[in-house]
Amino acid sequence: MYKIAVIPGDGTGPEVVNEGLKVLDSASKKYGFKYETKTFDFGGERYLKAGKTLEDKDIEDLKKYSTIYLGAIGHPKVKPGILETGILLKLRFSLDQYINLRPVKLYNADYCPLKDKKSEDIDFVVVRENSEGLYKGMGEFQKKGTQDEVAIQISYNTRKGVERCIRYAFLYTRKRNKRKKLTLCGKTNVLTYAWDLWERTFNEVAKEYPDITTDYAHVDATTMWFVKNPEWFDVIVTDNMFGDIITDLGAMIQGGMGIAAGGNINPQGVSMFEPIGGSAPKYTGQNVINPLAAICAAGMMLENLGESKAAQAIENAVIKIVSTKLKSLAAGKMGYSTTEVGDLVTENLE
Ligand code: IPM
Ligand code: MN
């Protein structure tokens, strides 16, 4: 019996989470796993009413669950930064979800903005470090508000933090068993402390994985290759900030935010799965947002729980409906409503 903590969150989060839960319900019946859910109201509305983001007791509570299913965090009436750091990043950090796993897979070439790319050309996974780097929040202002002001933002990289991420990426590349190629994406030519540590660690760990081909690309060049030769990539490992940036580009070449899902993973603890697109406030309540990213996140969650057959069935159903039904992956242009897309996936689960 899996215990799933559901955090629908803000904007279109609740709408897409509903569709994910609909698919989960039907997958559980077909594949015979059992689960119960509990919904938590963390998000912008609660913050505006009660002034609370996420308290330590909430974290302790969440630690009792098998997994977390998240919609979106971000509210137009709350100053940017408060909910992001107070809820989303606090969840990632305090549950030590040190991997942010972001598959970039093109399910239908018609939705790709790149010319002449086939669906098999875009099929890679970004392993983003999710607990350190620039996201650590270290730094300070000096002489704030004066003409001599200095703002310092530190990228914090520990050997242990870097190594566990790199080890996860090597193991993942081996298990994925596709091209067995792992690319380190960094900036060794300029950021000579952080990326020296990353590169040294990468090269050392690589010796334990002779079956994996290794490669290195600077982050700026990586964005170029994503557009020019995405077929070169199998698995990419990178730090928190670079991973954040390149996975938005990754989402666009796989068909947009409507389809991009991710997992915040603690291999020894409680992980959290989410569509990566955000709360999309302008589409809230209209039944037009694409729920596929949330549905794919539910699939990743099942994979992580060990329900591989159900996860594969969800992915197959998504592939089928994006190839045969949907007119577009963009909100309001799918040719179907949010709830209808959820129904389509459910009907095509085999
Ligand atoms: C993401 C988001 C978050 C991040 C924001 C909302 C804090 O952009 O999940 O990629 O920067 O990690
Ligand atoms: Mn992002």
Side-chain angles (χ1 to χ4, degrees):
M1 175 74 110
Y2 303 119
K3 288 179 69 182
I4 305 178
V6 180
I7 308 174
D10 301 318
T12 52
E15 288 169 71
V16 297
V17 156
N18 272 341
E19 299 316 303
L21 292 175
K22 194 195 266 177
V23 173
L24 203 64
D25 178 54
S26 122
S28 81
K29 285 174 185 142
K30 282 215 167 68
Y31 291 91
F33 61 87
K34 292 203 164 47
Y35 69 99
E36 57 185 28
T37 59
K38 182 167 178 213
T39 306
F40 293 83
D41 65 349
F42 311 134
E45 291 299 332
R46 188 180 89 141
Y47 176 75
L48 290 170
K49 276 193 214 112
K52 291 192 275 193
T53 50
L54 199 67
E55 294 165 292
D56 293 342
K57 67 167 167 42
D58 299 327
I59 299 288
E60 286 314 307
D61 210 9
L62 288 169
K63 283 184 183 162
K64 296 176 197 139
Y65 286 81
S66 324
T67 193
I68 303 170
Y69 186 44
L70 174 77
I73 299 292
H75 196 292
K77 290 193 183 129
V78 182
K79 191 178 156 230
I82 294 176
L83 301 173
E84 290 86 341
T85 53
I87 301 178
L88 185 61
L89 297 182
K90 186 161 180 183
L91 283 166
R92 290 177 182 171
F93 288 166
S94 49
L95 296 171
D96 203 21
Q97 296 163 338
Y98 61 86
I99 298 296
N100 196 322
L101 194 67
R102 297 193 163 179
V104 177
K105 190 164 173 181
L106 178 62
Y107 289 134
N108 178 349
D110 295 346
Y111 305 135
C112 182
L114 305 178
K115 214 170 107 199
D116 300 332
K117 291 297 173 194
K118 300 182 290 298
S119 60
E120 57 270 29
D121 291 334
I122 300 176
D123 182 3
F124 59 87
V125 178
V126 177
V127 176
R128 164 185 174 189
E129 203 290 322
N130 211 32
S131 66
E132 302 191 332
L134 282 165
Y135 278 66
K136 192 80 179 173
M138 283 178 77
E140 63 174 356
F141 293 113
Q142 290 170 359
K143 302 181 182 167
K144 192 172 180 188
T146 73
Q147 287 302 308
D148 297 319
E149 177 162 355
V150 181
I152 301 171
Q153 192 90 44
I154 291 170
S155 176
Y156 179 90
N157 301 266
T158 65
R159 168 72 196 213
K160 285 198 179 90
V162 170
E163 188 171 329
R164 66 182 181 173
C165 175
I166 286 174
R167 284 192 178 279
Y168 182 94
F170 271 102
L171 208 59
Y172 185 86
T173 311
R174 180 181 277 169
K175 280 203 196 125
R176 175 172 151 92
N177 200 21
K178 290 221 165 138
R179 296 181 51 216
K180 291 200 157 191
K181 178 177 164 188
L182 179 62
T183 305
L184 175 68
C185 163
K187 192 70 187 172
T188 53
N189 55 347
V190 176
L191 307 178
T192 51
Y193 298 108
W195 288 98
D196 188 86
L197 174 61
W198 273 83
E199 195 175 41
R200 267 185 288 122
T201 310
F202 184 78
N203 292 337
E204 278 171 37
V205 176
K207 290 186 193 130
E208 296 170 35
Y209 292 85
D211 53 321
I212 309 294
T213 308
T214 57
D215 198 5
Y216 171 82
H218 292 317
V219 61
D220 49 346
T222 302
T223 64
M224 175 175 79
W225 303 131
F226 271 21
V227 173
K228 199 169 171 289
N229 297 100
E231 64 278 6
W232 287 355
F233 295 107
D234 179 19
V235 181
I236 298 168
V237 62
T238 190
D239 79 354
N240 212 339
M241 186 77 257
F242 293 167
D244 178 46
I245 297 167
I246 68 172
T247 54
D248 266 24
L249 180 55
M252 292 321 288
I253 65 171
Q254 73 179 126
M257 287 302 186
I259 192 89
N264 300 276
I265 294 173
N266 175 343
Q268 291 85 33
V270 184
S271 301
M272 174 169 79
F273 298 84
E274 56 174 343
I276 75 170
S279 59
K282 70 174 178 181
Y283 297 117
T284 304
Q286 297 173 35
N287 201 18
V288 296
I289 194 79
N290 186 345
L292 288 177
I295 291 170
C296 291
M300 290 181 75
M301 178 170 78
L302 287 177
E303 177 73 49
N304 189 260
L305 289 170
E307 300 295 337
S308 298
K309 279 197 180 132
Q312 192 57 59
I314 292 175
E315 185 174 32
N316 292 346
V318 169
I319 293 174
K320 191 162 167 200
I321 72 156
V322 302
S323 330
T324 59
K325 301 276 186 188
L326 265 58
K327 292 195 178 66
S328 158
L329 297 178
K333 297 181 182 153
M334 302 182 289
Y336 296 90
S337 66
T338 306
T339 45
E340 283 169 341
V341 173
D343 291 338
L344 279 173
V345 177
T346 304
E347 287 155 20
N348 284 284
L349 273 188
E350 267 155 27

